[in-house]
Amino acid sequence: FTGRLIERKGVEYLLKAIPLVLEKHKAKFVITGNGEQKERLEAMHQELGLGDTTEFLGFVSNSELADEYAKCDIWVNPAIVDAWGDAEGLGVGSIEAYAYRKPVIATRTGGIPDTVRDGETGFLVEEKDPQALADAICKLLADPFKARQFGWAGLRFAKQAFSWDRITSELEKLYLTTLNKDSSQSEAIETSDTAA
């Protein structure tokens, strides 16, 4: 996991999923980032007895973050809708993970489903469900070939859907459509004024 350690990131549910994963697979979990929930999450880590299976790296530089993406097998985004009704926006972390050909396991909240194709670039699960997170993680740990397929599919998807060329092209289309509508409305108003 990479990101700020705040409520809507849902990291507590990832921590609760870890013992369920460890029942079936030997795995190491790495969590980067700082935030208001850090102390609480580290205390939960101790309570769950996760020991050295989970490492909190705190804030990392861009180059260190790139190393973590490159080293990981799966990137997990356990985001939730928080107590204030806030949810993830676009889910940029997924796109970053795809740049390193990593499969993504994430929740169906906010804008995340726009960046994860369930069963193609990763898995989407319901929020606040440690068992669903654990099951999805275990599926990919048990099938490295599928994990690699998802990672490559994610890279293709990110290039196709989130490249600057595509974004610029879509923005230009939006502007042209808006300008054409405004132009048509102006002509209609002028015509009705003339007719009156």
Side-chain angles (χ1 to χ4, degrees):
F1 169 84
T2 59
R4 289 183 300 146
L5 301 183
I6 57 175
E7 183 188 354
R8 74 174 158 85
K9 296 295 186 177
V11 176
E12 70 178 278
Y13 299 97
L14 174 58
L15 290 177
K16 291 174 183 176
I18 291 172
L20 304 172
V21 173
L22 295 175
E23 288 174 7
K24 298 180 179 178
H25 296 276
K26 186 177 179 183
K28 169 101 181 196
F29 293 82
V30 177
I31 296 168
T32 71
N34 281 325
E36 64 196 36
Q37 297 260 317
K38 188 173 186 211
E39 286 182 18
R40 179 176 170 272
L41 294 169
E42 287 175 336
M44 182 181 289
H45 167 265
Q46 294 298 323
E47 289 166 19
L48 291 168
L50 298 176
D52 61 3
T53 63
T54 307
E55 188 176 3
F56 286 84
L57 297 183
F59 174 81
V60 295
S61 68
N62 287 338
S63 63
E64 291 169 319
L65 185 60
D67 288 343
E68 293 305 321
Y69 274 122
K71 288 190 296 190
C72 78
D73 295 306
I74 302 165
W75 186 77
V76 182
N77 185 355
I80 64 168
V81 177
D82 70 17
W84 298 273
D86 286 340
E88 288 287 273
L90 179 61
V92 173
S94 301
I95 301 165
E96 291 175 350
Y98 296 149
Y100 293 89
R101 299 184 309 278
K102 302 303 175 177
V104 172
I105 295 170
T107 53
R108 287 185 180 88
T109 59
I112 293 171
D114 293 333
T115 62
V116 180
R117 290 183 168 169
D118 191 29
E120 184 181 334
T121 66
F123 292 122
L124 286 170
V125 300
E126 297 308 315
E127 67 168 336
K128 301 180 182 178
D129 189 340
Q131 185 66 60
L133 280 171
D135 291 345
I137 292 167
C138 287
K139 276 184 192 175
L140 290 184
L141 290 177
D143 192 344
F145 179 73
K146 182 183 284 293
R148 282 192 299 276
Q149 281 185 316
F150 281 4
W152 279 104
L155 179 62
R156 287 190 299 273
F157 172 52
K159 284 181 175 180
Q160 175 251 320
F162 301 104
S163 71
W164 282 114
D165 287 342
R166 181 176 184 275
I167 291 168
T168 303
S169 173
E170 292 297 317
L171 196 55
E172 286 174 356
K173 286 179 193 173
L174 178 64
Y175 284 143
L176 288 172
T177 302
T178 303
L179 287 171
N180 288 337
K181 282 182 183 174
D182 286 349
S183 174
S184 297
Q185 288 173 350
S186 294
E187 287 173 16
I189 290 169
E190 286 174 16
T191 304
S192 67
D193 285 347
T194 305

